[in-house]
Amino acid sequence: MNSELARSLPIGVFDSGVGGLTVLKALREALPAEDLVYLGDTARLPYGTKSPKSIERYACQATRLLQEQGIKLLVVACNTASAVALDALKAQMSPLPVIGVVEPGASAAVQAKPGGSHLVLATEATVRLGAYRRAIEHLDAAASVREHACEMLVSLAEEGWTDGEIATAIIRRYLDDASASASSPDSVILGCTHFPLLRDAIERCLEPGTTVVDSATTTAAVASRMLDETGLRSDGDTAGAIELLATDGATRFARVGGAFLGGKLDASDIRLVDL
Ligand code: DGL
């Protein structure tokens, strides 16, 4: 592929559903001239409770569709897919680059609290694989890491119940279970695409001074650096386009996705695709 054509291609962003729109939003802010194509595998959400084998298969199929459409860089906005399938996706996309959200999130936490104790809130599959623990320990040997699966927070965010009594009670229950007899953490990492929507409610349940980290902004900064390193940054100076693809439920995608993207979406903004 000639380099001018490669630079003009969109960045592909993939998630199991609408949660990755928080990453898309950060990419739009960091890279306003880039075209972005987002694929949410809403037909098979949630990934977090599935086996690694199924998650990898789904992630590879979603990536294949984006590759066929033409992308220059893949951002895996899904924590679960990043934890399970990043190596497989890198092999499939090679020589084009792939970025996951786990390492940028781990790096943001380590920078915020060097040598600190970190609590990772994520899906079952992400916790089972210990991806955040490995990434943090690799960056900071003095850090300590606890990981806790919080599946119901995905449903709360999808339902739009991001505040109020029910959200608070469920968040408190997870935080109590995660802390058991341990002291309160220095940082809480939102290791799931959906949890930034519950950020305010989570912050209210934490000890004052606890840092809350989410990987969206750091991932966008890594993507920006990667475009420069690979010479793939767009030459354009006009605002880039956003294309939204989903595997099911355009109406629900628009309703729930609007909250994640921080704007209003219409079902006609979303193109349904088959993997
Ligand atoms: N996108 C997933 C993640 O970030 C959360 C939703 C799911 O389980 O598919 O881990």
Side-chain angles (χ1 to χ4, degrees):
M1 193 190 311
N2 76 48
S3 48
E4 197 179 328
L5 172 63
R7 281 198 299 277
S8 71
L9 288 173
I11 296 173
V13 185
F14 152 67
D15 180 40
S16 55
V18 292
L21 291 172
T22 51
V23 177
L24 188 82
K25 187 169 169 229
L27 285 166
R28 169 46 68 242
E29 279 158 21
L31 300 164
E34 298 292 339
D35 290 341
L36 304 170
V37 54
Y38 179 93
L39 170 59
D41 191 7
T42 37
R44 300 188 288 197
L45 176 97
Y47 280 15
T49 50
K50 309 272 168 25
S51 68
K53 205 169 152 209
S54 296
I55 296 165
E56 184 171 307
R57 183 160 52 87
Y58 295 169
C60 288
Q61 287 171 349
T63 299
R64 175 75 54 217
L65 183 131
L66 290 171
Q67 283 177 294
E68 282 166 6
Q69 169 145 339
I71 54 171
K72 60 183 173 186
L73 161 69
L74 175 70
V75 177
V76 186
C78 178
N79 289 259
T80 304
S82 298
V84 174
L86 200 64
D87 289 344
L89 297 177
K90 281 183 175 168
Q92 185 175 316
M93 277 287 290
S94 176
L96 293 172
V98 177
I99 296 169
V101 282
V102 171
E103 279 173 20
S107 149
V110 164
Q111 273 170 34
K113 299 280 173 168
S117 64
H118 305 280
L119 171 61
V120 182
L121 305 180
T123 63
E124 276 172 32
T126 304
V127 168
R128 214 181 307 124
L129 282 169
Y132 272 97
R133 172 186 301 281
R134 272 182 280 118
I136 292 171
E137 289 175 352
H138 177 72
L139 293 168
D140 183 359
S144 68
V145 185
R146 271 175 286 153
E147 296 171 284
H148 197 72
C150 307
E151 280 302 330
M152 276 180 78
L153 301 191
V154 174
S155 313
L156 282 179
E158 286 273 329
E159 209 54 45
W161 295 4
T162 52
D163 221 333
E165 266 174 52
I166 296 173
T168 305
I170 294 172
I171 290 165
R172 274 198 204 289
R173 171 69 193 267
Y174 279 128
L175 290 174
D176 287 349
D177 287 355
S179 296
S181 55
S183 55
S184 67
D186 298 317
S187 97
V188 169
I189 300 171
L190 306 180
C192 171
T193 45
H194 287 59
F195 299 174
L197 256 78
L198 296 147
R199 186 181 182 127
D200 290 349
I202 292 172
E203 272 174 345
R204 277 196 292 277
C205 296
L206 295 170
E207 295 287 327
T210 313
T211 300
V212 175
V213 175
D214 89 71
S215 48
T217 328
T218 344
T219 302
V222 173
S224 176
R225 234 178 15 247
M226 183 74 88
L227 289 180
D228 288 334
E229 280 166 19
T230 51
L232 286 170
R233 190 181 280 275
S234 158
D235 303 324
D237 53 8
T238 52
I242 294 186
E243 187 180 9
L244 299 173
L245 312 176
T247 50
D248 197 17
T251 305
R252 185 177 171 82
F253 186 112
R255 179 167 55 79
V256 183
F260 283 86
L261 204 47
K264 222 176 141 33
L265 285 178
D266 188 81
S268 61
D269 297 328
I270 294 110
R271 179 159 66 88
L272 288 183
V273 292
D274 248 339
L275 298 181

